[in-house]
Amino acid sequence: IMILRQDKPLGHNMEQNILHGVAVSIYPHGRFVHVNFKAQNNLELLINVPEYAFNKLKLQKNETISVSLRKESLFLCKRKDFTK
């Protein structure tokens, strides 16, 4: 998962699978910062961002951001039905 910067153009491999949403919470965890992202379609993602990258992004809680899900890194899994 890559948090997109507003001031940088998108690379050709990042034009698909872009989600827009809000950084609902941000908290440090060792050398990383956990960003809890909630997309407009209510999908929630926990993004681990290296501390140095987080500092460059200057993210703040409740800030609207966009993220890119790399196509080659997406894997779909069949959901098991536990109702039976």
Side-chain angles (χ1 to χ4, degrees):
I1 300 172
M2 180 181 290
I3 298 174
L4 302 176
R5 292 177 50 173
Q6 300 290 340
D7 59 341
K8 296 277 185 173
L10 294 177
H12 73 281
N13 63 338
M14 287 188 266
E15 293 173 353
Q16 297 178 345
N17 304 318
I18 294 178
L19 299 173
H20 306 282
V22 176
V24 292
S25 66
I26 297 172
Y27 53 96
H29 190 266
R31 293 180 6 202
F32 289 88
V33 177
H34 289 189
V35 178
N36 191 0
F37 171 79
K38 187 169 187 177
Q40 292 172 340
N41 64 359
N42 287 330
L43 175 71
E44 292 187 34
L45 302 172
L46 179 61
I47 306 169
N48 292 322
V49 182
E51 197 172 57
Y52 71 90
F54 178 81
N55 291 335
K56 285 178 74 175
L57 290 169
K58 299 179 183 174
L59 287 180
Q60 295 184 8
K61 183 178 174 183
N62 296 322
E63 183 177 344
T64 300
I65 60 174
S66 299
V67 300
S68 174
L69 307 175
R70 291 178 43 204
K71 184 177 180 179
E72 58 271 10
S73 299
L74 289 178
F75 297 94
L76 299 177
C77 301
K78 191 174 186 177
R79 184 176 184 169
K80 187 172 183 173
D81 185 5
F82 291 105
T83 60
K84 296 180 183 178

